[in-house]
Amino acid sequence: MGGLIGIGSRFALRPSIEWAFWRVVKEHRTVSKADGAPLLIIPRNFHDSIAGRLRADVLLHSRVRLTVGVGYEHGPTPIETHEPGLAEGDSIEGAAGLSLSITRHVSLRAAFTWHHFLNRT
């Protein structure tokens, strides 16, 4: 869910919130294709993931738009079932992008997102 807050003719803020229903994942289960017998069961007990992001758009020229943003996500995995090395924990992100309108129907866009997962013990 997100919104757009226009500030003048050249600037806009775009706040958003994301809520993912991970609580339905109680375990990861791998079963035999032959008979369905469990081969590997990993308890997970996920909780819901909630993320908040704020993006800002700046119209630098009638055809050039700069976008920057930050975000935070509370990951779905409880500490007791966290798998080291997997991207499941809390994280922060920073992003920047540039959009160039060449014609009415053609534009070029480039973006970079830095995503960092916070340390867990």
Side-chain angles (χ1 to χ4, degrees), residues 60-77:
L60 301 175
H61 181 272
S62 62
R63 295 179 175 222
V64 181
R65 178 181 315 255
L66 172 68
T67 300
V68 295
V70 295
Y72 173 80
E73 180 178 3
H74 178 64
T77 310

Side-chain angles (χ1 to χ4, degrees), residues 79 82 119-121:
I79 290 174
H82 186 230
N119 291 335
R120 266 198 154 159
T121 306

Side-chain angles (χ1 to χ4, degrees), residues 63 100-109:
R63 295 179 175 222
L100 170 65
S101 294
I102 297 172
T103 70
R104 192 173 133 201
H105 300 289
V106 178
S107 64
L108 295 175
R109 295 182 179 152

